[in-house]
Amino acid sequence: MLIRDLPAPVTASKADWLAGTTWLGFTPTEEDLTARNKCQSTIQRQFGNGYVIEYITEQFSEPNPGFENDPAYLAEREAHRALAGRLIAVHKLRTTARSLETILGAEEFKRLQDMWAQGGKRYRWSVAFPIVESYEIVGRPKAKEVLGEAAYRRLYQRSSATLRALTDDERRLIADLDLRQIATANSWIGIEDEFRLAEASEINPEVERTIGRDLVALEGMEAERLAKVKRRAAWIADRFIRERQRADKIICDDCAFDPRDLAAQLGVKPRGFLDVHHKNPLDEGVRYTTTADFALLCPTCHRIEHTRLRIAAQLKAAQDRLR
């Protein structure tokens, strides 16, 4: 998979001296709620609906006195040597009302501030955005080799407390970088934050029934969570349909069947000839799914997809029994 194949553009870059694994953090100008909200809204506006490409700086910061020989710091410093100056990952961030202390836990947050907070201001990186979807950049290339001298200097020559917006030319320069998706431990934050949004939204009943059938194989969840997972999936599917209708792309994604002429002859809406289909039903509740996980299919293609999924599940079960 290449960067150009992502369902949304890479809109910005984050320069870090530590690789982000579960979250990316930003330091507000003050500790009060107003400063935090301003910082959060600025970052959210910068990445928008897109992805963030992560760059590791050439320099590595020094910790507060007393942590120079801390084993975790020494391990991080060693890891930095292999990544310095490289583009390492592409992330999808999720805006959340959860504080960094909530995400990390009180003990880890305290340790982070003890080691890195400056001038007694214990809110270093306190505006946190969980990483809900992540891709390693294969080979972790040197940023200067990918971007060229001019673009590299524009993006990374100066330090910044926020993200660095990419231009269209810079997006073209990174478009062919190869990606490998990796697990994201904080997917649950994006999923659970959206449970409330889904519950408060109106969803087309037919879409909800269709997605319920797609998710019939989900197992291992307690009943209340399963109901929330299904409701969220239907909420995303409903949004997917509305986006397709606005774009006037009501065609089958597999066979390209266009129902508009037939619908006009019969005096009905084209949408009624196509089903919304969840392409990755077993990922619901585990991975942070988006509208990219859904397709619009004619009834025949929809049946074929369900048959394919059923056979794949049977083969996997057989393989598991043989292990």
Side-chain angles (χ1 to χ4, degrees):
M1 179 182 186
L2 306 180
I3 283 182
R4 66 169 70 252
D5 299 321
L6 290 169
V10 175
T11 51
S13 181
K14 174 75 161 71
D16 278 323
W17 36 272
L18 287 176
T21 54
T22 59
W23 57 279
L24 294 184
F26 302 83
T27 304
T29 54
E30 300 291 342
E31 191 173 9
D32 62 86
L33 184 60
T34 299
R36 288 171 184 252
N37 288 344
K38 183 178 180 181
C39 179
Q40 185 178 68
S41 63
T42 296
I43 303 303
Q44 184 178 359
R45 185 172 61 253
Q46 288 179 315
F47 68 74
N49 293 318
Y51 290 82
V52 174
I53 188 167
E54 187 176 15
Y55 163 76
I56 299 300
T57 59
E58 296 282 359
Q59 302 300 316
F60 192 81
S61 292
E62 296 295 328
N64 289 328
F67 287 93
E68 301 89 342
N69 296 312
D70 182 271
Y73 165 72
L74 294 176
E76 290 167 350
R77 192 175 187 90
E78 185 64 28
H80 172 267
R81 290 194 181 97
L83 301 176
R86 298 179 183 275
L87 299 170
I88 65 163
V90 173
H91 306 300
K92 184 77 170 180
L93 305 183
R94 165 76 189 178
T95 303
T96 181
R98 301 169 194 259
S99 66
L100 178 60
E101 187 171 5
T102 301
I103 294 171
L104 293 180
E107 184 177 343
E108 180 59 23
F109 180 79
K110 178 181 181 302
R111 182 181 178 282
L112 187 74
Q113 300 306 317
D114 289 345
M115 186 180 291
W116 297 109
Q118 296 177 339
K121 299 178 180 179
R122 298 180 62 81
Y123 48 89
R124 190 82 182 265
W125 304 304
S126 61
V127 175
F129 291 82
I131 297 171
V132 295
E133 182 182 344
S134 191
Y135 301 85
E136 176 189 348
I137 298 176
V138 176
R140 295 172 169 173
K142 284 284 189 176
K144 194 175 294 185
E145 294 174 3
V146 173
L147 296 166
E149 183 71 29
Y152 175 82
R153 289 173 65 84
R154 191 195 79 80
L155 286 169
Y156 305 123
Q157 183 178 24
R158 296 179 178 84
S159 61
S160 174
T162 63
L163 295 174
R164 300 129 196 273
L166 266 64
T167 65
D168 289 340
D169 285 341
E170 288 157 357
R171 272 186 282 275
R172 281 191 285 272
L173 291 170
I174 65 171
D176 291 324
L177 292 180
D178 196 11
L179 301 178
R180 179 169 50 241
Q181 189 163 16
I182 55 179
T184 50
N186 275 345
S187 295
W188 66 272
I189 294 177
I191 294 168
E192 293 190 2
D193 280 358
E194 290 181 350
F195 283 164
R196 291 187 296 274
L197 296 175
E199 189 60 39
S201 300
E202 287 188 18
I203 301 172
N204 183 297
E206 180 56 34
V207 170
E208 196 157 14
R209 283 192 292 270
T210 302
I211 295 305
R213 290 193 293 270
D214 281 355
L215 301 184
V216 71
L218 281 181
E219 298 176 353
M221 293 185 199
E222 56 94 14
E224 183 179 356
R225 180 174 176 82
L226 180 59
K228 290 178 178 179
V229 166
K230 288 183 175 181
R231 176 76 180 181
R232 176 183 174 272
W235 171 66
I236 297 171
D238 198 55
R239 190 167 77 238
F240 165 77
I241 286 294
R242 286 186 272 108
E243 288 175 359
R244 291 290 292 265
Q245 288 174 323
R246 285 195 295 270
D248 195 26
K249 292 180 64 177
I250 304 300
I251 60 172
C252 177
D253 290 331
D254 277 4
C255 71
F257 166 61
D258 187 337
R260 284 177 291 189
D261 289 344
L262 180 58
Q265 293 173 23
L266 298 175
V268 296
K269 294 181 178 179
R271 165 70 183 89
F273 289 92
L274 300 172
D275 300 330
V276 61
H277 167 67
H278 199 308
K279 296 186 286 186
N280 304 291
L282 297 182
D283 286 353
E284 274 301 333
V286 179
R287 180 173 60 80
Y288 182 76
T289 51
T290 68
T291 54
D293 289 281
F294 294 86
L296 204 54
L297 303 178
C298 70
T300 299
C301 289
H302 200 185
R303 289 180 66 183
I304 292 171
E305 284 300 314
H306 275 272
T307 301
R308 183 180 290 123
L309 287 171
R310 185 173 66 253
I311 292 172
Q314 291 169 348
L315 288 173
K316 184 179 183 302
Q319 291 169 349
D320 290 344
R321 286 195 296 270
L322 291 173
R323 288 192 181 118

